[in-house]
């Protein structure tokens, strides 16, 4: 068959205009790893989380306008933790994550909490501005754990697009949903609006909850002024998140998490841009 000749769409059909006013919907960059810790370590970590049932407390939020700590819009259990091994694994992944997300700022420290969502568990739309030093350069990472077969329903992570209209950014209405699959981790900008949709847990048993290790990764110092090299998407996300930035300069995390320094990536890191480039 002869290939069809392209037809010019006449300007009578599509008249020229100098009045374009594009409304962008920019998806938040996200990077997911499957089998992040591997079956054995993931299973051990899940059993550890379950064994600490009595130590979890109700998760809090920080009101961006008043700086008040409350439980508004959130029903999650939390337990602040640290883990040298988890931090080292994160550090090994970060060069690749930064490349995929178009992230350029240096990263130095992380805060981590274990969380559990059961029947009616949820976390309303928010940014992670209250957890990080500079929301325009920080990363959030959520590592998921659950028993199989899964004892909960729902609980997807919804990552909202940013709408940019006439150069002004605001949270969009469209979103991408991430399934909380066992032994997977999702990295995304802390300035991106996101939520945990309500979960169900028919058995009501703690081992059937939706568990996470949630981490916020920041630079050591607030990033200096506007950075000309910062990709647009990070600037837009930061602009849209501006209203959610807490006013007070908290020294303490509102769920009790403590910052720990990230180690440098290991010398025999398997996960790095160089490894990807060598792949044919
Ligand atoms: O559990 C999740 O999927 C996300 C949790 C979250 O957004 C948070 O703890 O700030
Ligand atoms: Fe969050």
């Amino acid at each position: 068959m002869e290939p069809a000749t392209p037809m010019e769409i006449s300007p009578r059909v599509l008249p020229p205009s100098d009045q374009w006013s594009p409304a962008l919907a920019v998806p938040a960059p996200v990077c997911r790893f499957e089998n992040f810790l591997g079956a054995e370590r993931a299973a051990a970590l899940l059993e550890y989380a379950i064994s600490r049932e009595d130590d979890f407390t109700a998760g809090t939020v920080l009101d961006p306008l008043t700086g008040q700590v409350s439980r508004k819009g959130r029903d999650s259990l939390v337990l602040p933790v640290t883990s040298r091994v988890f931090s080292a694994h994160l550090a090994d992944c970060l060069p690749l994550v930064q490349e995929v997300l178009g992230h350029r700022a240096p990263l130095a420290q992380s805060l981590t909490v274990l969380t559990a969502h059961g029947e009616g568990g949820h976390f309303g739309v928010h940014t992670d501005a209250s957890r990080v030093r500079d929301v325009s350069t920080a990363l959030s990472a959520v590592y998921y754990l659950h028993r199989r077969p899964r004892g909960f329903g729902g609980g997807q992570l919804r990552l909202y697009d940013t709408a940019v209209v006439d150069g002004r950014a605001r949270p969009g209405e469209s979103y991408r949903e991430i399934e909380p699959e066992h032994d997977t981790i999702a990295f995304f900008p802390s300035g991106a609006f996101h939520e945990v949709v309500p979960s169900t847990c028919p058995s009501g048993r703690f081992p059937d909850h939706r568990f996470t290790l949630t981490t916020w990764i920041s630079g050591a110092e607030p990033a200096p002024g506007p950075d000309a090299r910062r990709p647009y998407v990070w600037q837009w996300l930061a602009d849209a998140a501006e209203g959610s930035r807490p006013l007070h300069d908290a020294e303490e995390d509102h769920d009790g998490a403590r910052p720990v320094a990230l180690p440098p990536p290991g010398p025999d890191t398997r996960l790095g841009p160089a490894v990807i480039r060598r792949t044919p």
Side-chain angles (χ1 to χ4, degrees):
M1 232 172 55
E2 287 288 302
T5 310
M7 293 272 289
E8 165 68 8
I9 299 173
S10 145
R12 278 200 311 277
V13 175
L14 184 61
S17 168
D18 54 6
Q19 296 291 306
W20 299 115
S21 104
L24 282 177
V26 186
V30 59
C31 174
R32 266 182 85 246
F33 291 85
E34 299 178 347
N35 308 317
F36 184 65
L37 293 184
E40 265 178 42
R41 292 193 296 167
L45 204 48
L46 175 59
E47 287 316 307
Y48 173 78
I50 293 168
S51 75
R52 299 288 306 268
E53 174 173 1
D54 292 343
D55 301 319
F56 280 79
T57 57
T60 60
V61 299
L62 197 63
D63 188 306
L65 296 178
T66 62
Q68 292 295 307
V69 177
S70 82
R71 294 185 188 158
K72 243 182 9 210
R74 181 175 191 194
D75 184 348
S76 339
L77 295 168
V78 299
L79 178 62
V81 291
T82 58
S83 159
R84 273 197 298 277
V85 170
F86 190 71
S87 296
H89 210 59
L90 285 177
D92 283 353
C93 294
L94 281 177
L96 180 55
V97 171
Q98 289 185 280
E99 182 137 321
V100 172
L101 299 187
H103 178 278
R104 298 191 185 126
L107 295 167
Q109 65 179 44
S110 64
L111 291 179
T112 305
V113 292
L114 267 173
T115 80
H117 289 78
E119 182 64 33
H122 63 276
F123 196 159
V125 181
H126 66 282
T127 77
D128 290 338
S130 69
R131 312 287 190 165
V132 299
R133 310 190 74 149
D134 177 355
V135 76
S136 72
T137 57
L139 293 180
S140 297
V142 190
Y143 174 68
Y144 297 100
L145 291 163
H146 61 79
R147 279 213 165 148
R148 283 162 300 171
R150 241 196 227 190
F152 68 90
Q156 290 84 1
L157 171 66
R158 229 172 235 187
L159 205 49
Y160 284 87
D161 296 346
T162 299
V164 185
V165 182
D166 295 331
R168 285 232 280 285
R170 55 174 172 75
E173 283 167 18
S174 45
Y175 52 78
R176 163 189 188 129
E177 260 183 13
I178 291 167
E179 277 297 328
E181 294 286 356
H182 182 68
D183 198 19
T184 66
I185 188 167
F187 292 84
F188 56 90
S190 299
F193 281 83
H194 58 282
E195 80 176 298
V196 181
V197 306
S199 54
T200 58
C201 184
S203 77
R205 295 175 59 241
F206 194 64
D208 287 329
H209 278 45
R210 166 199 190 271
F211 294 96
T212 75
L213 259 188
T214 303
T215 298
W216 301 282
I217 305 165
S218 302
E221 297 298 328
D227 176 350
R229 293 171 311 127
R230 190 174 293 168
Y232 280 143
V233 62
W234 286 84
Q235 197 54 57
W236 285 329
L237 283 162
D239 291 349
E242 194 58 43
S244 73
R245 188 189 298 251
L247 292 180
H248 86 315
D249 193 15
E251 280 305 312
E252 294 254 312
D253 175 67
H254 48 94
D255 282 329
R258 296 261 163 77
V260 296
L262 280 172
D268 53 355
T269 297
R270 284 179 303 117
L271 299 157
V275 174
I276 298 296
R277 276 196 211 104
R278 274 206 303 274
T279 312

